[in-house]
Amino acid sequence: MDKVLLQKDGNVAIITINNPKALNALSTEVLQDLEAAVLDVKNDKDIYAVIVTGAGEKSFVAGADIAEMKDKTVEEAAEYGRFGNKVFRDIETLEKPVIAAINGFALGGGNELAMACDIRLAAENAVFGQPEVGLGITPGFGGTQRLARLIPVGLAKEIIYTGRNIKAPKALEIGLVNALYPLEELMPAALKMAKGIAKNAPLAVAASKKAINEGLNQTIDGGIATEVAEFSGCFATEDQKYGMDCFLNKVKEKQFSNK
């Protein structure tokens, strides 16, 4: 994987988009490497949380590769869109929680990648936007769908229709990101959060993610049924018995087995 780096720090995986000369733009090669990295993390039972970030200090992901897209036919564009969406859905549905550490520009496909993650932490210099209409296209990697689910629909439409960028404080104000940090503090904060998540029972975290994601597309009654199924399923795990024993015996330092 030349365009994506995968590092592991204990039970945390760090996926870095490594195309800084192009501001980490999402070429087909980058998407293919990202797909491979996500598959690696998915299959690694010792990884309990994931961080996605961009190389350098300017850009998380500045968008898709416009030079590569420019001359695509309708059929080629559809294939490209389906592939990008497939990779982002792999991230969104990954059993392990994913934190986006947004270290600069998150435009177009970059904002779409961030939105596919569970939690978004951003540097104070980060800039967000969906500028596609200024290029004669729509967002193509889930932007029209996820943005309107994350923030008020009217704001999502304004951002997409105008193509204007928004700065980090505005992104925090409207709920697009969870928190802001000075650039030098961003990765330490993301790593601290990821390691905090990884200390909890991995199967319970995965079940919580599934219940939230599936429940968002159901009625409240359907969502509650999903939650009850995930909740009760935890009682078949060793981690449930261990976690409750630790609580009753006042054991603070726990080591879940992921079983």
Side-chain angles (χ1 to χ4, degrees), residues 109 158 200 203 217 246 257:
E158 178 184 341
N200 294 315
L203 293 173
N217 295 313
C246 286
S257 63

Side-chain angles (χ1 to χ4, degrees), residues 81-162:
R82 282 191 292 267
F83 180 53
N85 273 294
K86 185 265 181 191
V87 176
F88 288 7
R89 279 291 285 163
D90 287 347
I91 293 169
E92 191 169 44
T93 59
L94 189 67
E95 288 186 345
K96 298 136 195 219
V98 184
I99 300 168
I102 304 159
N103 55 308
F105 293 113
L107 306 177
N111 193 44
E112 290 166 317
L113 173 58
M115 291 191 293
C117 299
D118 295 289
I119 297 167
R120 283 158 293 284
L121 307 180
E124 292 171 341
N125 68 319
V127 178
F128 301 82
Q130 298 291 159
E132 289 88 350
V133 294
L135 300 171
I137 58 174
T138 71
F141 291 168
T144 61
Q145 303 307 303
R146 291 191 182 93
L147 191 59
R149 285 168 165 82
L150 282 171
I151 66 173
V153 172
L155 286 176
K157 289 180 176 180
E158 178 184 341
I159 289 169
I160 291 171
Y161 296 172
T162 65

